[in-house]
Amino acid sequence: ESDLGRRNILMAAVGDEHFEIARRLLIRYGVDKSLRTLDALQLSVAVGLRRAGYPSIFVAADRRLYEVSELEGFQVTNPEHPTLTV
């Protein structure tokens, strides 16, 4: 709660545009990269936030989501290995 109060964490509502972006991500990466539905939705919210001008660092420990996030142009960091920021 203190992080939210200091605006260190941004909460974003999921809207129809996010579902559409997630659908496109699944079409693009679902088969070749094994992107899962909820991961696509999470990434779609990040895409929307980036389009709105928010910082574009993506945090992912899951290898598939990490890889797709990189392909989508995000700087990615793995919380299990924080020194491996790409």
Side-chain angles (χ1 to χ4, degrees), residues 3 15 23-25 31 45 48-49 51 53 57 63 68 71 79-81 85:
D3 283 337
R23 185 183 72 77
R24 289 184 200 146
L25 290 167
V31 174
V45 171
L49 290 171
R51 287 179 183 169
I57 297 173
R63 177 191 53 79
V68 171
L71 291 171
E80 294 176 353
H81 306 284
T85 301

Side-chain angles (χ1 to χ4, degrees), residues 45-81:
V45 171
V47 168
L49 290 171
R50 180 176 60 188
R51 287 179 183 169
Y54 289 94
S56 59
I57 297 173
F58 194 87
V59 179
D62 179 84
R63 177 191 53 79
R64 291 174 287 208
L65 183 54
Y66 189 105
E67 189 176 312
V68 171
S69 300
E70 282 185 315
L71 291 171
E72 282 298 302
F74 283 92
Q75 178 182 356
V76 187
T77 187
N78 183 333
E80 294 176 353
H81 306 284

Side-chain angles (χ1 to χ4, degrees), residues 3-69:
D3 283 337
L4 285 172
R6 289 191 308 266
R7 306 193 109 194
N8 290 338
I9 297 174
L10 177 67
M11 292 181 56
V14 177
D16 290 339
E17 68 277 5
H18 299 111
F19 289 108
E20 180 58 30
I21 294 168
R23 185 183 72 77
R24 289 184 200 146
L25 290 167
L26 286 169
I27 290 169
R28 180 182 245 167
Y29 301 112
V31 174
D32 292 342
K33 301 296 181 186
S34 301
L35 182 65
R36 296 173 292 200
T37 303
L38 292 177
D39 290 339
L41 187 58
Q42 178 183 349
L43 183 54
S44 74
V45 171
V47 168
L49 290 171
R50 180 176 60 188
R51 287 179 183 169
Y54 289 94
S56 59
I57 297 173
F58 194 87
V59 179
D62 179 84
R63 177 191 53 79
R64 291 174 287 208
L65 183 54
Y66 189 105
E67 189 176 312
V68 171
S69 300

